[in-house]
Amino acid sequence: MERQSTNDGAGTPLSATGRAILGLLGSAPRTGYDIKSAVDGSIRFFWAASYGQIYPELKRLESAGLVRVASAEKGGRRRSVYEITAAGRDALQAWLASDAELTTEMRDEGLLRFFFSDLVDREEALANVRAMRAHHEAMVRRLREIEPKSIQARDAGRRFPYLTLMGGIELHEQRAAWCARMEKELS
Amino acid sequence: MERQSTNDGAGTPLSATGRAILGLLGSAPRTGYDIKSAVDGSIRFFWAASYGQIYPELKRLESAGLVRVASAEKGGRRRSVYEITAAGRDALQAWLASDAELTTEMRDEGLLRFFFSDLVDREEALANVRAMRAHHEAMVRRLREIEPKSIQARDAGRRFPYLTLMGGIELHEQRAAWCARMEKELS
DNA sequence: ATCTTCATGTAATAAGTTACATGATTAA
DNA sequence: TTAATCATGTAACTTATTACATGAAGAT
């Protein structure tokens, strides 16, 4: 087994979510709140993060010297804007260039139910598949909403977020189509 | 927000992994070891479980009266075969027929890297996509290996495991195809 | 003989969610 | 004036992984 986290020299190894946050700070300085919005508005379909992870992780990244806090104020209001440091950029690049094992996991309770559907009536199996399809179709709609923003970034020279988004749309379209086929199969 | 777990009357609510285990015991009595094998050999691509979850969960299911242990012996060796009880079957059916929220999550570090690939050279982005494709192709091969077993179950009247498996193969084929297209895009 | 599979479990740790608490600013 | 958005954080809890320990049975 290989090490599962990137560790450059000393200090606590960087967790996968830490890398995600660092990556988002790679393109712009952000507050914890901004990071949560960015996660939800772009990488959420393959990588989620809650405030309960983000704020503590930002502190860990800071004490590891990978980000620095530029405590700005907006109005009279406290606001901590984090930006990536040179060391942070190095760590990020090192991760992106490494050949470490990539975790890929899926947890889909809809498929779990589908798998066990021999135990229930056709109607119940059908209801489950319909719910799955509705979910994937909703995902496609949500992803399409962020398409314009992604196109802007692409035209500004950052094409990967756009390509990733298109991949996500395709993925959920394929899953929705599979559900539709299963609905026919069960009818 | 709705309750996230199925709770029939009193006792500890049943966790998602508990439901997965109960579902597997729905078709045959099994040991903890058998359950691990069954998970790895069928539902793993959308629902994983480790021994560290399985053995404690079996005890919880037992004290909730949803499974019973028929302590069999094979050779001179200790062996705990669990089987589902009538109450367990009720709980399983109730879950399969309920309209509770279905958790669907994905964590894909390859896509995370891809998303951030504007920060690295074309070569590094390409290496990452190739690794992703290799992974999905390996998944397709592994799933195809269990196809015969699945066909047998289908011919014996349990068709959903087969349909689920075909869905998984399609899913990973689609992802591999997307990777191939991205490789072209980057060349 | 020795390797693989069968078999059971726990302890430490890591990762992540949910609920809660608090309050300012901005748009309608 | 009221709702939405911006903003920060923690505590309790749940969930899951990893590493370890142990050993018999069956195959080569």
Side-chain angles (χ1 to χ4, degrees):
Chain A
M1 292 277 168
E2 293 293 308
R3 302 289 306 123
Q4 74 282 29
S5 33
T6 312
N7 188 356
D8 293 78
T12 316
L14 191 52
S15 72
T17 293
R19 296 191 284 262
I21 292 173
L22 200 58
L24 288 172
L25 293 177
S27 57
R30 303 172 204 258
T31 65
Y33 184 85
D34 290 339
I35 288 168
K36 173 64 172 157
S37 307
V39 165
D40 289 346
S42 59
I43 65 174
R44 191 205 156 118
F45 85 89
F46 58 87
W47 205 276
S50 65
Y51 286 122
Q53 281 175 278
I54 293 167
Y55 285 107
E57 189 62 45
L58 280 169
K59 291 195 173 160
R60 277 191 288 272
L61 290 171
E62 196 195 358
S63 63
L66 305 178
V67 305
R68 89 169 63 82
V69 59
S71 210
E73 276 168 59
K74 194 184 184 181
R77 161 153 131 245
R78 184 179 57 141
R79 205 159 168 269
S80 298
V81 182
Y82 288 86
E83 56 183 10
I84 196 167
T85 62
R89 221 165 263 285
D90 288 349
L92 181 56
Q93 224 110 42
W95 166 57
L96 291 171
S98 79
D99 60 349
E101 279 290 294
L102 299 173
T103 59
T104 45
E105 276 166 67
M106 226 179 117
R107 291 209 161 237
D108 191 314
E109 220 183 328
L111 281 178
L112 198 56
R113 277 199 199 195
F114 186 77
F115 184 86
F116 295 129
S117 289
D118 285 306
L119 297 167
V120 293
D121 294 335
R122 212 183 85 268
E123 277 312 313
E124 275 148 6
L126 210 43
N128 177 43
V129 180
R130 285 196 187 110
M132 271 198 272
R133 182 160 59 87
H135 171 259
H136 292 297
E137 285 170 352
M139 280 302 293
V140 170
R141 282 195 298 275
R142 278 178 45 194
L143 293 174
R144 285 215 189 281
E145 275 170 33
I146 58 179
E147 202 179 326
K149 199 184 61 184
S150 222
I151 288 175
Q152 278 179 10
R154 184 195 58 183
D155 295 345
R158 293 189 305 278
R159 62 175 170 161
F160 285 95
Y162 173 75
L163 293 173
T164 312
L165 181 68
M166 291 298 107
I169 290 173
E170 268 182 48
L171 170 69
H172 286 287
E173 275 174 345
Q174 191 267 334
R175 303 270 272 116
W178 178 79
C179 289
R181 245 181 306 129
M182 289 305 107
E183 287 173 49
K184 258 184 216 162
E185 176 95 20
L186 298 177
S187 295
Chain B
M1 293 278 165
E2 294 292 309
R3 304 290 304 124
Q4 74 282 29
S5 32
T6 311
N7 188 354
D8 290 78
T12 317
L14 189 52
S15 73
T17 293
R19 296 190 285 262
I21 292 173
L22 200 58
L24 288 172
L25 293 178
S27 57
R30 300 171 205 260
T31 66
Y33 184 86
D34 290 338
I35 289 169
K36 174 63 171 158
S37 307
V39 165
D40 290 345
S42 59
I43 65 174
R44 190 205 156 118
F45 85 89
F46 59 87
W47 205 278
S50 63
Y51 287 121
Q53 281 175 276
I54 292 167
Y55 284 108
E57 189 62 45
L58 279 170
K59 291 196 174 160
R60 277 190 288 272
L61 290 171
E62 196 195 359
S63 63
L66 305 178
V67 305
R68 88 169 65 82
V69 59
S71 212
E73 276 169 62
K74 194 186 187 180
R77 157 152 133 250
R78 184 179 55 141
R79 204 159 169 269
S80 298
V81 182
Y82 289 85
E83 55 182 11
I84 196 166
T85 62
R89 221 165 263 285
D90 287 349
L92 181 55
Q93 222 110 41
W95 166 58
L96 291 170
S98 78
D99 60 348
E101 278 290 295
L102 300 173
T103 58
T104 45
E105 274 166 67
M106 226 180 118
R107 293 211 160 236
D108 191 314
E109 221 183 329
L111 281 178
L112 197 56
R113 278 200 197 192
F114 187 78
F115 184 85
F116 295 130
S117 289
D118 286 305
L119 297 167
V120 292
D121 294 336
R122 211 182 86 269
E123 277 313 312
E124 275 147 6
L126 210 43
N128 177 44
V129 180
R130 285 196 188 110
M132 272 197 274
R133 182 160 60 87
H135 171 259
H136 292 297
E137 285 170 352
M139 280 300 295
V140 170
R141 282 193 301 275
R142 277 179 47 194
L143 294 174
R144 285 214 189 281
E145 275 171 33
I146 57 179
E147 203 180 325
K149 200 183 61 184
S150 223
I151 288 175
Q152 279 178 6
R154 185 196 57 184
D155 295 344
R158 292 188 306 278
R159 61 175 171 163
F160 285 94
Y162 173 75
L163 293 172
T164 311
L165 180 68
M166 291 298 107
I169 290 173
E170 269 183 48
L171 170 69
H172 286 286
E173 274 175 345
Q174 191 267 334
R175 304 269 272 116
W178 178 79
C179 289
R181 248 183 301 130
M182 290 305 108
E183 287 174 48
K184 261 186 214 162
E185 176 95 18
L186 298 178
S187 295

